[in-house]
Amino acid sequence: MNARPLANTAADILDRVRERAPRVHCITNTAAQVLTANLLLAVGAVPSLTISADEVTAFVSGADALLVNLGTFDAARRQAALIALDEADESRIPWVLDPVFCDRSAARAAFARDLAAREPEVVRANRAEVAALTGQDVEDVESAAFDRFALDNLTVLAMTGPTDIVTDGTKRTAIANGHPLMARATAVGCAGTALIAACLAVEDDPFVAACAGLLALGVAGEIAAAGARGPGTLVPRLIDAVYLLDRHTLATRAKVAGPLDVKP
Amino acid sequence: MNARPLANTAADILDRVRERAPRVHCITNTAAQVLTANLLLAVGAVPSLTISADEVTAFVSGADALLVNLGTFDAARRQAALIALDEADESRIPWVLDPVFCDRSAARAAFARDLAAREPEVVRANRAEVAALTGQDVEDVESAAFDRFALDNLTVLAMTGPTDIVTDGTKRTAIANGHPLMARATAVGCAGTALIAACLAVEDDPFVAACAGLLALGVAGEIAAAGARGPGTLVPRLIDAVYLLDRHTLATRAKVAGPLDVKP
Amino acid sequence: MNARPLANTAADILDRVRERAPRVHCITNTAAQVLTANLLLAVGAVPSLTISADEVTAFVSGADALLVNLGTFDAARRQAALIALDEADESRIPWVLDPVFCDRSAARAAFARDLAAREPEVVRANRAEVAALTGQDVEDVESAAFDRFALDNLTVLAMTGPTDIVTDGTKRTAIANGHPLMARATAVGCAGTALIAACLAVEDDPFVAACAGLLALGVAGEIAAAGARGPGTLVPRLIDAVYLLDRHTLATRAKVAGPLDVKP
């Protein structure tokens, strides 16, 4: 997959999201809820956010994909996540894990590892969070550890950073889109994970869905940053850019390498 | 009431909101809190949002109107809603019910029906939510059911959709303002219900207050959409448009039919 | 300190924030979380927001400053605040108290007074909130009471209003920057208190840190208001203005009087 094929595949996936309006249930942190809902609505999906134990099963059972984000790590959300995962297992609903800030608290890292072992279709994490998940120091974590993490957990790891790396343990794609200003607005990464969930709702191959979601976010972020004076005006422009994203823009802007085989 | 008289009445009501700065207490969902507070501040009201059981009575007792939105259906908000309604009954504070997503969960629908039976001045709901409230299938619900719901619950039903319908069971007004982009940003409908609450705070006739609130939201939404590239830039522009809304704009843009008598 | 020296000092402090990227842990209300995080990211700090009892100690212990805002007064946040303050005491982490709406509920005022007695580096409050903290009627509260409050609690009081007053009980500075539109957008004041926390993270003198934070917010608010049509477009512009704030702008726009000695 070089830039052009992934861009085309991503455009196909976005078309399917817009046609099918999949439901995406999001158990996510309090600072990310609004932007997450807005990015999902912008891309054409239908978000729901409840964490009420009485209702999570009903909402997940009617959803086409599930997002579990650990950015607010309270008892209610932990319980909601476990209820949601039972229903996702039962109803075979694809899900993505975002272990936000699991490098900052041992309790969160332990819970994140337990969830990762439940075979999410995709785990989205930055380098520090992957280090915490794999029990390594962030300075020492080697790139082979990313592939092993994906293999060990039967998942796709979407590791975000200046260049995003997507690996399933046997192959890797690198995506160099995005803009530094995106890291200066809260919850942009979290909401990007929701785009991966929207892609998972209409695409059976989680590796491809993860690549498509990250590419969409990165390209939209570049477009938004080009017109923004700072992180404040970036956010509404990012939502607009996701709403307006088209095949030509994806093809023109995609900076993609791979997938390349991982050397054992 | 044709377009011109309602527009004038709505402008009178907005003038009173700006003069009196009524307090509106909002028990609302986590994704709607910020936009709700911002639309209320923009229109000239003073929002409060606490759901703490220790404080709800004090806040409601000092408020001029109450909003109860079920979009986050957790135990704390359910308890807060019941405490708030006791105080609203006691102190005769007008209130509006927004049974968000009650069509997606049986527990929520049952709670919403219980609250609707407590005679809110206004219930704001979309077609699917009204169907759930009346125990009908959304495909089968007939428009006579809307009028009956209002009569049975001694309330005004403000049913939002491409054309909004306001009925008290004996008369109906239709408002055709608004823009499709408004449905692509989270909580715009919820925040619109808060505008109805602000109108209720300064207007004794709940039918008129409901019409004024929906007209204000619809006209502001059209103005915002005209300058927006997508749902991201729509939202700040919507808040500005509510802040700037004037009599002339309302009169020029209002698309209103009725009130017409409901045929028994 | 006249306008020029404070502007220069504030610029020095902002430079240090951008260089050091201090961590600021925020226990804040649900309506303020996103804007607070975004203003902190814009100024160059790293926000965290958890209120989970399992994690607060770890997050505070790794933070360079702490914000405690009482705008959402639920049991979880009260507990989190007490845990956080124990750790802040232990690890000598500077903190700022924002007793939002403590004039609207007796329970909140009592809790706010208890926290104020724990010697926050800074208390940020409006006139009505200071009246509630000092047990006076807002109409009767005299300006000498502000100074006494600061002295009695060994704190700096940053009292916001059309003109902000900063006092430690022995000296006072007045800052006349800002714009009325800032009061029409929710949580701008709360997020401004977070700027004070960011300044405290890199500046040992809490009087100077409080002045710098309020000046930065006021000047950024003026710049944002100049380009905004209303409170909706004000907010993203405010975030941009904080992000772009420079020494020259601060020096040109600062409207500062003092510090003057408080007459006993």
Side-chain angles (χ1 to χ4, degrees), chain A residues 144-222:
Chain A
F146 311 145
D147 307 310
R148 274 201 309 275
F149 175 82
L151 274 181
D152 287 350
N153 291 281
L154 298 175
T155 194
V156 170
L157 174 63
M159 196 176 73
T160 50
T163 295
D164 302 330
I165 305 287
V166 180
T167 175
D168 65 2
T170 65
K171 61 184 179 297
R172 268 196 220 163
T173 291
I175 302 172
N177 291 97
H179 190 279
L181 210 49
M182 297 165 76
R184 298 294 288 268
T186 195
V188 166
C190 297
T193 311
L195 290 186
I196 296 176
C199 294
L200 277 175
V202 301
E203 167 58 47
D204 287 338
D205 183 337
F207 186 88
V208 170
C211 290
L214 291 181
L215 179 64
L217 183 73
V219 169
E222 289 173 11

Side-chain angles (χ1 to χ4, degrees), chain B residues 50-144:
Chain B
T50 190
I51 60 163
S52 174
D54 300 341
E55 296 191 318
V56 167
T57 301
F59 275 81
V60 174
S61 119
D64 302 293
L66 171 66
L67 163 69
V68 177
N69 171 305
L70 305 184
T72 300
F73 189 68
D74 53 16
R77 274 179 179 75
R78 276 174 280 178
Q79 185 194 10
L82 296 174
I83 296 171
L85 289 185
D86 286 345
E87 179 59 28
D89 280 351
E90 180 82 14
S91 302
R92 305 178 68 88
I93 291 160
W95 68 287
V96 51
L97 174 65
D98 194 333
V100 177
F101 269 166
C102 70
D103 54 314
R104 297 275 287 274
S105 143
R108 204 182 287 208
F111 191 73
R113 277 192 293 267
D114 287 348
L115 295 196
R118 295 188 64 167
E119 301 179 12
E121 269 66 20
V122 180
V123 176
R124 201 284 307 195
N126 65 28
R127 191 182 181 86
E129 291 155 355
V130 175
L133 285 174
T134 59
Q136 296 181 283
D137 191 276
V138 65
E139 306 300 332
D140 299 335
V141 65
E142 291 172 32
S143 72

Side-chain angles (χ1 to χ4, degrees), chain B residues 18 39 42-43 195 216-217 220 237-245:
Chain B
R18 286 164 185 153
L39 270 197
V43 80
L195 289 187
L217 183 73
R237 284 167 177 274
L238 175 67
I239 297 166
D240 285 3
V242 166
Y243 176 73
L244 296 168
L245 211 54

